[in-house]
Amino acid sequence: MTALIVEDDRNIRRSVCTSLETSGWTVHEAETLRQALAHVRSNKFDLAIVDLGLPDGDGVDLIASIREESQVPIIVLSARSEEQHKVRALDAGADDYVEKPFRVAEFLARVRAHMRRQRDGGKEEQQTFALVGNVEFDRGARAVRKDGKDVRLTKTQYKLFDFLVTNAGRVLTHRQLLREVWGPGRVEHTQYLRVFMASLRQKLEDDPAQPKLIITETGVGYRLMAASDSASEFGEAA
Ligand code: CA
């Protein structure tokens, strides 16, 4: 498996490279947008790690170029303060972001989760049944069960949950969720989303005030915990 890392900070680039190489990856490095674009045009890779602030341009442009060619997982490296950048990166097709500074073990866990998702992606499309924590999603029967008991969702709640389940483990932006569930005319109406997320949590979370299933990504959107993002996997990063 081959990864492309695009990052101008030498220390971060080296640490990502080393951790991926230790896990068996072949890694190609780029320091600038220009180098990265040249690489994208002439090489194949299975994963891209992209810093947003590059010396000669914006990593979001690179993400858009990668997405024209392929569906490989793209993980963004971003500073905590770059909320709008993260949103633009996700809207452009990135799958996830990791805030700097990050722990290598957590970074690798994210990489594994996305590679697994990529590998199983084709199957999941067809899959009619999913289990997220103690919640069962039965697409065939249009049924949702919590601890084995039926949960009645409204049409919109169901549509929203269906989209979250299809993208489990992935950060979805407000705009992506609104476009999918309410249509392109409503992408600015984040208050709908807040209300419906609260109502979904009320029905599905053990403690809606401390959600463990539907996670808020502050200023960005929401993420449904994937079945594979188990506490043990992220726990080992501690
Ligand atoms: Ca940078």
Side-chain angles (χ1 to χ4, degrees):
M1 298 289 259
T2 304
L4 170 66
I5 160 97
V6 186
E7 165 67 82
D8 58 314
D9 183 313
R10 187 170 183 278
N11 290 336
I12 296 176
R13 200 173 66 243
R14 287 314 310 160
S15 114
V16 167
C17 269
T18 307
S19 61
L20 284 171
E21 282 167 356
T22 308
S23 310
W25 287 82
T26 302
V27 186
H28 296 283
E29 301 176 42
E31 290 177 46
T32 62
L33 183 61
R34 201 162 140 247
Q35 283 176 6
L37 286 170
H39 189 90
V40 168
R41 277 194 293 271
S42 53
N43 294 284
K44 289 225 174 303
F45 47 92
D46 308 289
L47 168 73
I49 316 289
V50 177
D51 173 36
L52 293 182
L54 295 168
D56 57 341
D58 191 336
V60 174
D61 296 335
L62 177 65
I63 292 165
S65 300
I66 295 173
R67 274 294 166 259
E68 284 173 17
E69 308 283 328
S70 88
Q71 288 304 311
V72 297
I74 301 175
I75 300 177
V76 161
L77 304 178
S78 71
R80 194 166 292 268
S81 57
E82 295 177 322
E83 254 165 32
Q84 284 316 306
H85 275 76
K86 284 183 282 200
V87 171
R88 281 181 50 231
L90 292 163
D91 280 335
D95 295 283
D96 205 351
Y97 63 84
V98 177
E99 278 176 354
K100 297 186 255 191
F102 51 85
R103 288 175 307 176
V104 164
E106 184 184 343
F107 168 75
L108 288 175
R110 292 278 182 91
V111 167
R112 283 195 298 275
H114 285 283
M115 296 316 290
R116 207 162 33 222
R117 193 177 165 271
Q118 174 84 354
R119 198 185 54 218
D120 300 341
K123 279 180 262 160
E124 268 167 28
E125 296 274 313
Q126 315 297 326
Q127 221 171 49
T128 56
F129 188 82
L131 185 66
V132 191
N134 53 352
V135 175
E136 296 164 46
F137 180 76
D138 187 343
R139 193 172 274 134
R142 279 190 78 86
V144 176
R145 285 179 285 272
K146 181 172 188 282
D147 298 321
K149 280 185 232 128
D150 280 321
V151 177
R152 295 185 64 90
L153 298 184
T154 66
K155 210 173 145 205
T156 304
Q157 286 171 341
Y158 182 88
K159 211 171 161 188
L160 187 55
F161 193 56
D162 189 345
F163 189 52
L164 286 167
V165 169
T166 304
N167 291 284
R170 229 186 129 184
V171 184
L172 295 168
T173 65
H174 298 130
R175 181 173 277 268
Q176 287 169 332
L177 287 156
L178 285 158
R179 194 197 297 119
E180 176 70 20
V181 179
W182 285 274
R186 300 286 178 86
V187 292
E188 306 297 335
H189 294 209
T190 47
Q191 75 276 16
Y192 281 139
L193 200 53
R194 257 195 301 277
V195 169
F196 275 89
M197 282 299 182
S199 70
L200 253 189
R201 281 171 169 159
Q202 209 66 42
K203 291 182 177 177
L204 301 179
E205 297 278 358
D206 289 338
D207 179 1
Q210 307 211 335
K212 296 223 158 52
L213 226 51
I214 302 170
I215 308 301
T216 299
E217 299 284 343
T218 306
V220 175
Y222 297 90
R223 177 207 303 265
L224 184 75
M225 292 308 283
S228 48
D229 295 343
S230 62
S232 62
E233 175 137 38
F234 280 109
E236 71 187 22

